[in-house]
Amino acid sequence: MDGVLVHEEHALPGAAEFIAALRDKDIPFQILTNNSIFTPRDLAARLRATGIEVEETHIWTSALATATFLADQIPEGSAYAIGEAGLTTALYEKGYTLTDTDPDFVVLGETRTYSFEAITRAIRLVSTGSRFIATNPDVTGPSGQGPIPATGSVAAMVTAATGREPYFVGKPNPVMIRTALNRIDAHSEHTAMIGDRMDTDIVAGMEAGLRTFLVLSGSTRPEEIERFPYRPSEVHDDIAALLERLG
């Protein structure tokens, strides 16, 4: 989503036209984001404000993928969740009980205001046996003033205090890609990943068996590509360059 379709509150070149072409040609698609703060309704509204028309069902977040994963592991289980509406709503909708008393899982997501008290509670619960899950491994997130700590950084704090590593569900874990494929009944052989990050989007798509298209409209600069031991199928300036592929 960010870096491919939008940057801050503006659509990137070709983004609205690309999504419109997918809709017009009835090509199934999912818009993926590791951001676990917002619900699909929130994100669809944000995209519409930039001129990109999508439905909530087109959006797949790390929070939704995490809730789906947990429901498969322990149906109607319990969790102590650190996060915002995107995460707590996803867990509720999967029948999960949110509690700070002996939960099955401690689930760490992203929030604008990480609480020392909440992190302390998470550390104690993980130390006494709750399974440790995190929505995504991103260590920083963007803000108007510069980078801010994100899920991966806070997860490292919990790991340092407990010796327990979390299971990250979001990109680059191919679990998030496979669940997105299932939502649109797609097969990896006929699906492509378009992303702006080598370390999440491209590696996740590659490991899930998808063709991968790196666009340079977001986080990755051309000279950075060679630093990675894998390559995307193709590299383009932005998503506008892929419009012709849709016919």
Side-chain angles (χ1 to χ4, degrees):
M1 181 170 167
D2 292 288
V4 176
L5 299 180
V6 293
H7 175 66
E8 294 181 351
E9 301 306 318
H10 302 283
L12 287 165
E17 295 82 358
F18 191 87
I19 296 299
L22 291 176
R23 291 166 60 94
D24 291 344
K25 297 176 184 299
D26 200 27
I27 298 172
F29 67 95
Q30 292 283 276
I31 298 170
L32 275 59
T33 176
N34 263 358
N35 188 319
S36 65
I37 292 178
F38 302 106
T39 66
R41 181 177 299 178
D42 298 330
L43 295 173
R46 177 189 170 199
L47 289 172
R48 282 194 293 271
T50 72
I52 301 172
E53 289 294 331
V54 297
E55 307 297 329
E56 294 176 36
T57 54
H58 289 138
I59 296 174
W60 189 237
T61 71
S62 64
L64 294 172
T66 297
T68 299
F69 173 79
L70 294 187
D72 288 341
Q73 296 293 305
I74 301 180
E76 298 184 351
S78 60
Y80 176 68
I82 298 177
E84 299 203 21
L87 178 59
T88 56
T89 300
L91 290 168
Y92 273 128
E93 289 180 348
K94 286 296 185 180
Y96 257 63
T97 300
L98 300 185
T99 178
D100 64 355
T101 303
D102 193 26
D104 296 313
F105 298 97
V106 167
V107 185
L108 178 63
E110 194 170 345
T111 174
R112 303 175 187 87
T113 53
Y114 284 108
S115 157
F116 183 79
E117 181 181 354
I119 295 170
T120 299
R121 186 61 180 156
I123 288 169
R124 291 172 180 169
L125 291 170
V126 170
S127 296
T128 55
S130 295
R131 302 163 181 86
F132 186 20
I133 300 287
T135 57
N136 63 284
D138 301 61
V139 294
T140 62
S143 77
Q145 293 73 44
I148 57 175
T151 308
S153 295
V154 179
M157 291 174 58
V158 178
T159 295
T162 63
R164 301 273 297 278
E165 296 278 350
Y167 182 71
F168 292 106
V169 177
K171 299 177 296 179
N173 190 338
V175 164
M176 184 169 177
I177 312 303
R178 286 196 293 269
T179 51
L181 289 171
N182 291 339
R183 280 167 59 88
I184 56 175
D185 195 25
H187 192 282
S188 59
E189 290 183 6
H190 308 293
T191 308
M193 164 72 86
I194 304 170
D196 73 308
R197 293 187 59 135
M198 289 288 291
D199 58 347
T200 55
D201 304 322
I202 301 306
V203 70
M206 180 191 70
E207 290 183 353
L210 280 59
R211 286 182 59 80
T212 55
F213 296 86
L214 177 72
V215 293
L216 301 175
S217 51
S219 300
T220 303
R221 296 188 298 273
E223 62 271 19
E224 294 176 325
I225 299 172
E226 297 300 327
R227 300 178 188 173
F228 292 87
Y230 50 85
R231 290 188 59 84
S233 304
E234 297 181 22
V235 180
H236 296 278
D237 288 338
D238 52 37
I239 201 170
L242 295 171
L243 263 172
E244 62 183 32
R245 299 295 184 90
L246 301 180

